[in-house]
Amino acid sequence: MDTGGYYIPDEKDFPHLAQTLTSCFKDDPLYRYLIPDPAMRAKLLPQLFMCDLEEMLNYCDILADSPDMRGLIVLTDDAEHRSRLKKRWAEKLYELKTDLVLIKADPTMQTLERFTRGHVFLESDWCEKLDGSQLHIIYLAVNPEFHGKGVAHRLIAPVLSYADRNRLTVTLETQNPDNLPMYGHYGFGVYETLGENVASAGNETGKPTEYCLVRLPFGRAPDRP
C-alpha cells in the first residue's frame, strides 16, 4: 500500500517495536490464556514478538506512526501480490523458531502445548470464507503512554482510505471485547466468533473468544455467516 506519511521501521527498530507490542498485549486475554504465568509471559512476549516481526518483514507492511514509533500497524495486502511461496517459507521457518523459544523457556512443553491447542487464535483461516481482495491487519498497537493522543487514528485512517480506493475488504481479529467499540467506530462489524471449539486440557479456564471483524469498502458492515 501507499506508505507515504508513515515511518518504515527496519530490523534495528524491532526491539523497540517488540517492547511496544509487549506493553500492549501483556494483559490481553489471548496471551493470558497462552502464557498464564505473568513472569513467564513478561519474559517470553518480547522474544515471540521479535520472531513475529522478523517473519512479517518477508511479506507484510510494518508501519509506525513516526520515527518515535509511538505505535505500529502490521498488515498484509492482497493487492500487492506478494509471493505466496515466500510467505509459506517464512511461516514455516518462524513457526520452528517460535517453538524453540517456547521449549527453551519451558522444557516441560506445557507452554508449547497451549500454543498448539490455541492455534486457531494465531491464524486467520476464517478470512478464506470472504470473497474478493482483502487487506488484513495483524497488529494495531499503541504504546500505553500515548493512548488517547490520536496515534491509533493516525495509523488506521490512511489504511482504511487506501482500502476504500482499491475496493478492499479489511479484516482483523481481537480477543479483547473492550476493543469492539473502537473498531465499530471505523466501520468494522463482527463477522463471526471463534473459541468455543478450541480444545481444553482438564478444567482449563480463561479460554478467550476471538472476534473476527470485517469492514467492507466505504465502511459497510458485513453479513454474518
Side-chain angles (χ1 to χ4, degrees), residues 1 3 6-11 13-14 17 21 49-50 52-65 69 71-76 82 138-139 155:
M1 62 165 285
T3 56
Y6 289 103
Y7 172 72
I8 312 300
D10 59 29
E11 290 183 78
D13 297 315
F14 284 1
L17 297 180
L21 288 166
F49 287 132
M50 279 294 292
D52 278 358
L53 291 164
E54 290 169 3
E55 174 191 340
M56 293 168 187
L57 186 62
N58 290 279
Y59 58 88
C60 296
D61 290 312
I62 302 174
L63 309 171
D65 66 302
M69 294 180 288
L72 71 153
I73 190 167
V74 182
L75 54 91
T76 60
R82 288 187 170 100
I138 300 171
Y139 289 126
L155 287 165

Side-chain angles (χ1 to χ4, degrees), residues 90-161:
E91 287 173 338
K92 292 298 182 183
L93 174 61
Y94 284 95
E95 180 181 349
L96 176 59
K97 288 190 174 185
T98 298
D99 289 350
L100 292 174
V101 168
L102 296 173
I103 293 168
K104 183 177 179 180
D106 180 8
T108 70
M109 309 283 278
Q110 292 181 1
T111 305
L112 176 60
E113 182 182 353
R114 293 181 76 92
F115 270 73
T116 300
R117 290 199 304 273
H119 70 92
V120 67
F121 300 124
L122 302 170
E123 300 172 354
S124 302
D125 293 346
W126 66 273
C127 294
E128 296 176 5
K129 302 174 185 178
L130 301 171
D131 296 326
S133 296
Q134 299 170 30
L135 186 154
H136 184 69
I137 298 174
I138 300 171
Y139 289 126
L140 173 62
V142 175
N143 186 312
E145 295 180 6
F146 298 99
H147 283 182
K149 298 185 183 299
V151 177
H153 179 76
R154 288 196 292 275
L155 287 165
I156 197 171
V159 169
L160 300 181
S161 295

Side-chain angles (χ1 to χ4, degrees), residues 21-79:
L21 288 166
T22 298
S23 297
C24 291
F25 291 106
K26 62 184 176 64
D27 295 318
D28 187 83
L30 173 60
Y31 291 101
R32 290 205 313 266
Y33 167 71
L34 294 173
I35 314 173
D37 179 70
M40 182 173 288
R41 193 160 64 243
K43 174 184 176 181
L44 272 177
L45 283 183
Q47 300 176 63
L48 296 175
F49 287 132
M50 279 294 292
C51 284
D52 278 358
L53 291 164
E54 290 169 3
E55 174 191 340
M56 293 168 187
L57 186 62
N58 290 279
Y59 58 88
C60 296
D61 290 312
I62 302 174
L63 309 171
D65 66 302
S66 70
D68 294 331
M69 294 180 288
R70 295 166 293 184
L72 71 153
I73 190 167
V74 182
L75 54 91
T76 60
D77 178 2
D78 281 356

